Amino acid sequence: MKKMNKILAALAFGAIFLGSCDKEDQMGTVDFVEYEPKGNIKYVITATPIGTTGIADYLLTADNLSGGMISTRGNGIEQDGSYRYYMTHKGRFFSLLYGQGNPGDVTTYRMQPNGELVKTKYFQTETVQAFTKINDELLLIKIPRSGQPNAMFFRIDALQSRMIDQKPVNIVDLAANGERAHFTWATQVGNKVFAPYMSIKGCCGDAFGTAYPDSSWVAVFSYPALELEKVIRDNRTSFIGNYFNNGLAVVENGDVYGFSPASAKLNSQLTTTRPSAMVRILKGTTEFDKSYFFNVEEKSGGHHISTQTYLGNNKFLLTMYGTPKSTSGYLRLALVDVVSQQFTWLKGAPEEINSVSAAYNNNTGTEDGKIGYVGVNTTSGSQVYKIDIQSGVASPGLKVDGGTITAITKMEY
């Protein structure tokens, strides 16, 4: 009944609010002060129990990812709701529920000095389709795929776990082509927010179909006012990122790289004539760099990009669709250097991968940029792989028994 009351309240007010679920939701102000990590590291591995339907993830913790085994059986913190997404900011671990049209919620955790992950706050939100970290805040974006013309941007104080502002953005006006701008993600670039989007019909039984498959767009917003400043456009590849898929990354020198899967469709058929590729926006500019174009599809022998994870020093881990000229089916792993435009298949990794840990939140690379980690799910099981970035070789690490890895997050405490 208490859960139902919260849902009804969220529907009535139509906005984010601070909930009160149990005693842990009302912790003292000390729990919301600036977090000062002491140099300790713990990894949070989220996994869905094998052989279940509609069952939520479990939060498991490990001191390292290089070996050993953890299990979902009798371990971890069970999440509420079957579709969860995760991020960490300001020393907090945020678990976001995708409510599938219903109100979502956000549960906040914090790592105790003894390495135990404990819940500190619960609050409800609208269901959102994109989220990122901006300064001391979280930016959540609710993006309707049909009907309502406005996307809603919500600013959340990461320390206080509360909404501090919200802003509507008319995505029909933004697309300005008779379709809708559907944001694929958002990224902080300097003091602005870059939000790439795909143009979608949003109707007619083909919501994600488009009549504009051969263009890229990035909307530039001021922050914190969230005023639209301009749209960066290009037509050398298709849209950047994908649904729930971050397609932008900022490297150490401030340049921004955009990744296109070239997956634009109409009536479920691939229609883009452009290759799966990477483009660049130089630091301090709001235009695509016309001198740069990394044709990943060509370098890989016809494969399309699925996701990207930045490993540091201009190197990225890419998940690639395993079948050339396809944007479905099994995955393979590759490494690229975006400056030299070098592409290499990752050696030692499984050749046919069902899924990997969430690319948008894999912050597990080492500080020196030499090692990265990725969770890999295959028909034979789920395991973390350790990536030697210099040699391009992956080796098996921590095994997850009884669960499918959905995300891996490094937390300092």
Side-chain angles (χ1 to χ4, degrees):
M1 179 63 71
K2 185 176 289 187
K3 180 74 173 179
M4 179 60 68
N5 288 340
K6 288 183 177 180
I7 293 175
L8 291 174
L11 289 170
F13 289 102
I16 298 175
F17 68 94
L18 290 176
S20 57
C21 182
D22 54 30
K23 186 175 180 180
E24 287 182 315
D25 289 335
Q26 302 172 12
M27 301 181 81
T29 56
V30 66
D31 295 289
F32 305 109
V33 300
E34 186 69 46
Y35 192 82
E36 295 290 344
K38 306 300 182 184
N40 301 309
I41 291 177
K42 185 80 82 170
Y43 296 95
V44 180
I45 300 98
T46 61
T48 304
I50 292 175
T52 59
T53 302
I55 300 299
D57 286 341
Y58 280 74
L59 306 185
L60 309 171
T61 58
D63 293 323
N64 71 80
L65 301 174
S66 296
M69 178 185 292
I70 56 174
S71 176
T72 61
R73 298 181 176 92
N75 293 315
I77 304 172
E78 184 178 4
Q79 299 299 279
D80 180 15
S82 57
Y83 294 95
R84 284 272 175 178
Y85 303 94
Y86 310 97
M87 63 191 306
T88 182
H89 192 35
K90 308 302 288 185
R92 275 71 176 166
F93 180 89
F94 297 93
S95 173
L96 297 88
L97 173 67
Y98 181 72
Q100 303 182 74
N102 298 314
D105 64 50
V106 180
T107 308
T108 307
Y109 296 85
R110 187 171 169 179
M111 198 71 71
Q112 297 294 90
N114 64 357
E116 180 185 5
L117 192 67
V118 299
K119 185 173 74 171
T120 59
K121 200 68 182 177
Y122 167 95
F123 64 100
Q124 285 191 316
T125 75
E126 298 280 352
T127 286
V128 298
Q129 290 78 24
F131 43 90
T132 192
K133 301 179 284 190
I134 309 289
N135 299 330
D136 294 339
E137 303 171 3
L138 308 180
L139 178 65
L140 312 182
I141 311 176
K142 177 180 176 65
I143 316 156
R145 66 186 67 174
S146 61
Q148 164 63 248
N150 289 332
M152 291 298 299
F153 285 53
F154 301 104
R155 290 173 52 213
I156 307 296
D157 184 315
L159 291 177
Q160 299 291 332
S161 292
R162 64 181 180 87
M163 186 181 76
I164 54 179
D165 196 12
Q166 58 182 312
K167 177 72 178 289
V169 173
N170 190 308
I171 53 179
V172 176
D173 290 347
L174 179 59
N177 59 8
E179 295 190 344
R180 307 165 68 88
H182 196 92
F183 298 111
T184 57
W185 213 253
T187 300
Q188 181 175 2
V189 180
N191 62 352
K192 302 182 187 302
V193 174
F194 282 22
Y197 63 83
M198 49 185 177
S199 181
I200 67 171
K201 290 162 56 180
C203 70
C204 320
D206 189 26
F208 284 98
T210 180
Y212 303 94
D214 293 338
S215 296
S216 307
W217 306 270
V218 178
V220 179
F221 293 92
S222 64
Y223 207 82
L226 290 169
E227 296 291 341
L228 178 65
E229 296 186 347
K230 71 174 297 184
V231 176
I232 307 172
R233 306 171 189 273
D234 199 87
N235 61 3
R236 293 173 296 169
T237 186
S238 189
F239 56 76
I240 292 170
N242 212 334
Y243 184 65
F244 265 113
N245 187 339
N246 185 8
L248 282 187
V250 184
V251 301
E252 285 85 353
N253 72 351
D255 291 345
V256 182
Y257 289 87
F259 299 73
S260 175
S263 60
K265 296 180 180 181
L266 188 64
N267 297 319
S268 302
Q269 299 297 315
L270 280 174
T271 53
T272 182
T273 63
R274 304 296 192 253
S276 181
M278 297 168 54
V279 289
R280 180 170 67 186
I281 302 168
L282 294 172
K283 179 182 179 180
T285 70
T286 52
E287 298 289 345
F288 285 110
D289 177 6
K290 298 299 184 181
S291 71
Y292 181 90
F293 189 73
F294 185 178
N295 190 333
V296 176
E297 186 173 338
E298 181 181 57
K299 290 284 184 74
S300 66
H303 296 263
H304 289 237
I305 301 167
S306 174
T307 64
Q308 60 83 20
T309 300
Y310 188 48
L311 300 175
N313 299 321
N314 301 313
K315 294 180 175 59
F316 287 81
L317 173 70
L318 300 184
T319 56
M320 305 289 295
Y321 290 103
T323 302
K325 306 299 181 182
S326 174
T327 57
S328 62
Y330 71 90
L331 303 170
R332 294 179 64 186
L333 297 176
L335 291 174
V336 293
D337 185 308
V338 291
V339 174
S340 66
Q341 299 192 25
Q342 181 180 4
F343 177 98
T344 56
W345 293 107
L346 187 64
K347 297 181 286 291
E351 287 292 313
E352 295 191 10
I353 297 170
N354 296 338
S355 63
V356 298
S357 52
Y360 60 77
N361 197 39
N362 191 335
N363 66 339
T364 56
T366 56
E367 294 299 324
D368 59 10
K370 294 181 178 180
I371 300 294
Y373 296 92
V374 62
V376 172
N377 304 303
T378 67
T379 55
S380 61
S382 297
Q383 191 157 18
V384 178
Y385 274 76
K386 178 181 178 181
I387 301 167
D388 185 305
I389 300 169
Q390 183 64 36
S391 68
V393 174
S395 56
L398 179 72
K399 184 175 178 60
V400 177
D401 178 53
T404 299
I405 301 169
T406 56
I408 303 173
T409 305
K410 178 172 65 176
M411 292 195 69
E412 298 183 30
Y413 67 101

